[in-house]
Amino acid sequence: MFKVNDNYCKLPATYLFTEIARRVNTFQQENPDAKIIRMGIGDVTRPIIPASIDALHNAVDDQADSSTFHGYGPEQGYDFLRSRIAECDYAKRGIHVDINEIFVSDGAKSDTGNIGDILSIDNIVAVTDPVYPVYVDTNVMAGRAGDFDGQHWSNIVYIPCTAENSFIPSLPERRPDIIYLCYPNNPTGTTLTRDQLKVWVDYARANGSLILFDSAYEAYIREENVPHSIYEIEGAREVAIEFRSFSKTAGFTGLRCGYVVVPKELKGVDANGNDVYLNPPLNRRQTTKFNGASYLVQRGAAAIYTSRGQEQIKATIDYYMKNASMLLDGLKSIGIEAFGGVNAPYVWLKTPSGLSSWEFFDKLLRDAKVVGTPGVGFGPSGEGYFRLTAFSSHEATSEAVERITALKI
Amino acid sequence: MFKVNDNYCKLPATYLFTEIARRVNTFQQENPDAKIIRMGIGDVTRPIIPASIDALHNAVDDQADSSTFHGYGPEQGYDFLRSRIAECDYAKRGIHVDINEIFVSDGAKSDTGNIGDILSIDNIVAVTDPVYPVYVDTNVMAGRAGDFDGQHWSNIVYIPCTAENSFIPSLPERRPDIIYLCYPNNPTGTTLTRDQLKVWVDYARANGSLILFDSAYEAYIREENVPHSIYEIEGAREVAIEFRSFSKTAGFTGLRCGYVVVPKELKGVDANGNDVYLNPPLNRRQTTKFNGASYLVQRGAAAIYTSRGQEQIKATIDYYMKNASMLLDGLKSIGIEAFGGVNAPYVWLKTPSGLSSWEFFDKLLRDAKVVGTPGVGFGPSGEGYFRLTAFSSHEATSEAVERITALKI
């Protein structure tokens, strides 16, 4: 009989957002008139900016005529988009990224999962805790995680980030081969300064570790000393892959576009200890297992780099960040400790009165009819925390703040 | 030092289509006035049908307004598309496929590569030879192929399909766990009848093998006794996964959409020999490593199932099949043996005068300025064969036929 990859059987059956949906549906059925405000899943709500809408319509028209029709595109992405990325996301910040180091994809979720294809299953993986569940689950599926004790996977190194250490991860005691870092952070909304990120780049250089740096939320950075790219740190090109997404930058959660940067200098070793550069295998993976992001969507993405596009996405991000600020102010006004929300669209709060994450979830749903995400769903160090997102409308956010501040807690 | 997946290092450096591009570029540089006709890569050239264009424009407009905006969609695809697939591609042919068995993706190349994620690396893989290179290369990357001797991978079972056996694969001597079948076939353009396909379904049932059935070209089938889906064969739901694509059906090579069907009954075993159903792990893979196909593209795909859409895609396919017929007639008129082209957009010819595949490639490029694909690029049994595609315009195809028939061969 053919054999299934039974690493899949190790994964706990319930996925965080499935359990949230289940509880919300039950509550809604029991309280059909309740007007629930959803601030759980990190999905955007504002429409695509006019600059991209125009580009999308034009791209659709291209496909309607054989003289402008675009069939298979380059698997790595069109140069019209890669050149804009290299120029606007990097060169303008003084960073050199060659367009052949950029791989355009259908989104950062695919990229952060697929990058594992080119890495040996023998590597030891480290994650900050709490963490975006995809990093852990994709390593479980690949066979890198070991066994689960209900909280931790035996082969994964967890690096706690809590209020006690101001959400600054300490260097691990056990040396990892691969380190996932996401800044601005999902779920905590916290950031590292350049100096704090440099500690990790230096560690990776000294220890032969690879940093997988997810900067999907960089467009939300407001403070000067917070790096937008890990390549702002000296030496990072030798140790880091960077993931970017148009989902939160430009509302492309439904359109699907992201990219990954793999510098030419970046190398690991094969089973015999010989150097292997990472850019060629990723290129081979993409040309073999992927056929490029949709032409339409790449045109839509390129339009955000026009000056009109830049103004428009800034307005959308300002809109969400006003929500973040309302949330932070509201929570603090009733004495709840809250973090993030300054350089990120997430607010991470300490649950009051010693409630567990799920107890607070149930209380907030029942008493305020507001849905958030229990921190423990992101890892054991998330217990006692809770995530709210800034992606709703002003009206919904304002209403949610009113309801939360009216709670007796 | 972190370790790279060194299965990637085993892959031969040159990819078929890269080598073709290199030779064509060299020829064009040496002969700047030569008007080269490209019939190599299987990319379409006709524009997207008006029914889909209208749907795409409407979907773009949806994204421009917060009341109709679509963010993250279901990772498995929207029901508006899955229900059309279940109804039009299956129920209308008397086949029951539940919508929860359908996973919409960004294309069959991704799907045929990614399916390996949920299968153990210990499985023995069989391919027909010649074969679409992605099946073999993705298994090399995953570590299932063994070592390469310049023609064959040691752990892959090759099933020759040549003029000698009328391109009907014989059952293998060594039992494979996984069998890739692509019908109508790329590259040969040949098909199996229902009875011939039943032999394989019966074999898989008797031997505990999994069939990965790629029917990306089913829309080109003209003959009554050629199955459009493997699920037309009794018992196939217990042993087969089916891959479909909108690329060749509706010209979506640049838009990116396909789907895979995993029936609920289909099961393999884990390392301990316990049954494991395949539908749940694929669902887990897609929800963890993928965020759904673009909303726009799914709307465009759904439009092909309207009666207007069906008429329009039929016209496009008829257009290409007229080219196939011109190619077949032309080749036969000068005594070249040619296959396929009746239920598929590919014509597979036996190279004349005992020329090797690459010798014929060079001759055709030099003397007729026509680019095709050397059969040997698809596997050792492709040596002495050559592929031409029907995806050009009538004008280019007719011109190519004129030039080829004028050759002294």
Side-chain angles (χ1 to χ4, degrees):
Chain A
M1 195 73 174
F2 76 90
K3 288 174 279 303
V4 179
N5 173 358
D6 49 7
N7 292 310
Y8 278 75
C9 307
K10 293 184 175 184
L11 283 165
T14 311
Y15 183 58
L16 174 62
F17 293 105
T18 316
E19 177 60 17
I20 292 174
R22 195 188 64 75
R23 294 196 191 199
V24 173
N25 288 339
T26 304
F27 181 82
Q28 186 78 79
Q29 277 168 14
E30 290 168 1
N31 304 273
D33 296 334
K35 289 179 76 173
I36 296 173
I37 300 176
R38 288 158 203 267
M39 310 179 94
I41 296 181
D43 196 4
V44 298
T45 56
R46 306 293 301 160
I48 300 294
I49 58 167
S52 293
I53 292 291
D54 293 347
L56 288 165
H57 277 305
N58 289 339
V60 171
D61 286 335
D62 286 349
Q63 297 297 80
D65 188 307
S66 61
S67 67
T68 50
F69 176 77
H70 283 70
Y72 291 126
E75 290 94 342
Q76 304 85 349
Y78 279 100
D79 281 358
F80 66 72
L81 177 56
R82 295 163 98 198
S83 63
R84 294 289 74 208
I85 291 168
E87 172 63 23
C88 305
D89 287 344
Y90 293 104
K92 279 190 179 164
R93 296 192 183 279
I95 303 163
H96 176 73
V97 165
D98 190 85
I99 68 165
N100 293 321
E101 296 172 330
I102 299 168
F103 298 86
V104 174
S105 75
D106 68 324
K109 189 175 171 191
S110 302
D111 284 336
T112 52
N114 292 336
I115 197 73
D117 280 12
I118 64 168
L119 300 167
S120 164
I121 59 162
D122 297 328
N123 291 301
I124 298 294
V125 168
V127 295
T128 54
D129 171 25
V131 71
Y132 178 48
V134 166
Y135 307 155
V136 173
D137 290 357
T138 56
N139 280 293
V140 174
M141 292 169 176
R144 289 190 197 94
D147 295 308
F148 192 52
D149 68 7
Q151 285 211 310
H152 297 93
W153 291 91
S154 57
N155 284 349
I156 288 191
V157 176
Y158 291 81
I159 307 169
C161 294
T162 62
E164 281 67 48
N165 62 10
S166 305
F167 302 96
I168 312 301
S170 301
L171 294 173
E173 287 173 28
R174 178 181 180 191
R175 177 199 159 274
D177 296 295
I178 298 170
I179 302 161
Y180 286 85
L181 295 177
C182 172
Y183 289 100
N185 188 253
N186 175 16
T188 68
T190 60
T191 51
L192 297 183
T193 63
R194 279 187 193 81
D195 287 347
Q196 288 162 345
L197 185 56
K198 183 171 185 303
V199 170
W200 285 90
V201 171
D202 291 346
Y203 176 87
R205 286 162 63 89
N207 289 276
S209 302
L210 169 67
I211 296 176
L212 298 178
F213 191 76
D214 186 346
S215 61
Y217 300 94
E218 69 79 29
Y220 292 80
I221 293 171
R222 300 298 175 98
E223 293 181 323
E224 187 46 47
N225 63 341
V226 176
H228 288 251
S229 163
I230 195 168
Y231 304 123
E232 292 181 35
I233 312 300
E234 198 188 333
R237 285 178 57 87
E238 291 162 38
V239 292
I241 288 175
E242 182 158 289
F243 302 93
R244 290 275 183 104
S245 169
F246 294 97
S247 287
K248 306 301 161 67
T249 303
F252 275 41
T253 50
L255 297 182
R256 311 307 312 141
C257 201
Y259 64 88
V260 50
V261 176
V262 182
K264 301 242 168 85
E265 296 92 320
L266 180 55
K267 63 184 177 191
V269 294
D270 66 14
N272 300 316
N274 299 315
D275 285 354
V276 182
Y277 288 91
L278 275 191
N279 186 290
L282 185 61
N283 189 59
R284 192 65 185 252
R285 188 216 171 273
Q286 297 302 84
T287 53
T288 306
K289 294 176 78 169
F290 182 61
N291 236 333
S294 179
Y295 168 71
L296 309 180
V297 178
Q298 292 190 65
R299 282 289 184 198
I304 75 160
Y305 294 106
T306 59
S307 56
R308 182 174 162 237
Q310 289 288 296
E311 269 171 44
Q312 292 169 348
I313 62 167
K314 186 175 172 304
T316 302
I317 290 167
D318 287 348
Y319 181 97
Y320 293 135
M321 290 309 285
K322 187 179 161 196
N323 291 341
S325 167
M326 281 196 268
L327 284 170
L328 274 181
D329 291 347
L331 292 165
K332 287 177 179 172
S333 77
I334 53 166
I336 291 182
E337 274 190 278
F339 311 92
V342 176
N343 297 299
Y346 295 124
V347 171
W348 186 246
L349 63 94
K350 185 119 191 57
T351 57
S353 318
L355 294 177
S356 75
S357 292
W358 278 110
E359 284 167 351
F360 187 73
F361 174 90
D362 290 333
K363 180 178 174 61
L364 208 64
L365 177 59
R366 193 181 58 236
D367 298 343
K369 298 168 188 65
V370 170
V371 179
T373 316
V376 70
F378 297 102
S381 296
E383 180 57 282
Y385 292 89
F386 198 80
R387 192 187 76 174
L388 290 172
T389 87
F391 290 127
S392 299
S393 65
H394 287 335
E395 297 70 27
T397 306
S398 163
E399 171 75 20
V401 168
E402 249 178 64
R403 294 187 197 168
I404 294 170
T405 51
L407 288 179
K408 301 233 177 312
I409 38 181
Chain B
M1 196 72 174
F2 76 89
K3 289 175 278 301
V4 179
N5 173 359
D6 49 7
N7 292 310
Y8 277 76
C9 307
K10 293 184 174 183
L11 283 164
T14 311
Y15 182 57
L16 173 63
F17 293 103
T18 316
E19 176 61 17
I20 292 174
R22 194 189 65 75
R23 294 196 191 199
V24 173
N25 288 340
T26 305
F27 181 81
Q28 186 79 80
Q29 276 167 16
E30 289 168 2
N31 303 274
D33 296 333
K35 289 179 76 174
I36 296 173
I37 300 175
R38 289 159 203 267
M39 310 179 94
I41 296 182
D43 197 4
V44 298
T45 56
R46 306 294 301 160
I48 299 295
I49 58 168
S52 292
I53 292 292
D54 293 347
L56 289 165
H57 277 305
N58 289 339
V60 171
D61 286 334
D62 286 348
Q63 298 298 78
D65 188 306
S66 61
S67 67
T68 50
F69 175 77
H70 283 69
Y72 290 126
E75 289 94 343
Q76 303 87 350
Y78 279 101
D79 281 359
F80 66 72
L81 176 56
R82 296 163 98 198
S83 63
R84 294 290 77 208
I85 291 168
E87 171 63 24
C88 305
D89 287 346
Y90 293 104
K92 280 189 179 165
R93 295 191 183 280
I95 303 165
H96 176 73
V97 165
D98 189 85
I99 68 164
N100 293 321
E101 297 173 329
I102 299 167
F103 298 86
V104 174
S105 75
D106 69 323
K109 190 175 172 192
S110 302
D111 284 335
T112 52
N114 292 336
I115 197 72
D117 280 11
I118 64 167
L119 300 169
S120 164
I121 59 163
D122 296 329
N123 291 301
I124 298 294
V125 168
V127 295
T128 55
D129 171 25
V131 71
Y132 177 47
V134 165
Y135 307 155
V136 172
D137 290 356
T138 56
N139 280 293
V140 174
M141 293 169 174
R144 289 190 197 93
D147 296 308
F148 192 53
D149 68 6
Q151 286 210 310
H152 297 92
W153 291 90
S154 56
N155 284 350
I156 288 189
V157 176
Y158 291 80
I159 306 169
C161 295
T162 62
E164 282 68 46
N165 61 12
S166 305
F167 302 96
I168 312 302
S170 301
L171 293 173
E173 287 173 28
R174 179 182 179 192
R175 176 199 159 275
D177 296 295
I178 298 170
I179 302 160
Y180 287 84
L181 295 178
C182 172
Y183 289 99
N185 188 254
N186 175 17
T188 68
T190 60
T191 51
L192 296 184
T193 64
R194 278 186 194 82
D195 288 346
Q196 287 162 345
L197 185 55
K198 183 172 186 303
V199 171
W200 285 89
V201 170
D202 291 346
Y203 176 86
R205 286 163 64 88
N207 289 276
S209 302
L210 170 67
I211 296 176
L212 299 177
F213 191 76
D214 186 345
S215 61
Y217 300 94
E218 67 80 28
Y220 292 79
I221 293 171
R222 301 298 175 100
E223 293 180 324
E224 188 46 46
N225 63 340
V226 176
H228 288 252
S229 164
I230 195 167
Y231 304 123
E232 292 181 34
I233 312 300
E234 198 188 333
R237 284 178 58 88
E238 291 161 37
V239 292
I241 288 175
E242 181 159 288
F243 301 93
R244 291 277 183 104
S245 169
F246 295 97
S247 287
K248 306 301 160 66
T249 303
F252 275 40
T253 51
L255 297 182
R256 309 309 310 141
C257 202
Y259 65 87
V260 51
V261 176
V262 182
K264 300 240 167 89
E265 295 92 320
L266 180 55
K267 63 186 177 189
V269 294
D270 66 14
N272 300 317
N274 300 315
D275 284 355
V276 182
Y277 288 91
L278 274 191
N279 185 289
L282 185 62
N283 189 59
R284 193 65 185 253
R285 188 217 171 272
Q286 296 303 84
T287 53
T288 306
K289 296 176 76 170
F290 182 60
N291 236 333
S294 178
Y295 168 70
L296 308 180
V297 179
Q298 291 190 65
R299 283 289 184 198
I304 75 161
Y305 294 106
T306 59
S307 57
R308 182 175 162 235
Q310 288 290 296
E311 269 172 42
Q312 291 170 348
I313 64 167
K314 185 175 176 304
T316 302
I317 290 168
D318 287 348
Y319 182 98
Y320 292 135
M321 290 309 285
K322 187 179 162 195
N323 291 342
S325 163
M326 280 196 268
L327 284 169
L328 274 180
D329 291 347
L331 292 165
K332 287 178 178 171
S333 76
I334 55 167
I336 291 183
E337 274 189 278
F339 311 92
V342 176
N343 298 298
Y346 296 123
V347 171
W348 186 247
L349 64 93
K350 185 122 192 55
T351 57
S353 317
L355 294 177
S356 75
S357 293
W358 278 109
E359 284 167 352
F360 187 72
F361 174 91
D362 289 333
K363 181 178 174 61
L364 208 64
L365 176 58
R366 191 180 60 236
D367 297 343
K369 299 168 188 65
V370 170
V371 179
T373 315
V376 70
F378 297 101
S381 295
E383 180 58 282
Y385 292 89
F386 197 80
R387 191 187 76 174
L388 291 172
T389 87
F391 291 127
S392 299
S393 66
H394 287 334
E395 298 70 27
T397 306
S398 163
E399 171 74 20
V401 168
E402 250 178 62
R403 294 187 198 168
I404 294 170
T405 50
L407 288 179
K408 301 234 178 314
I409 39 182

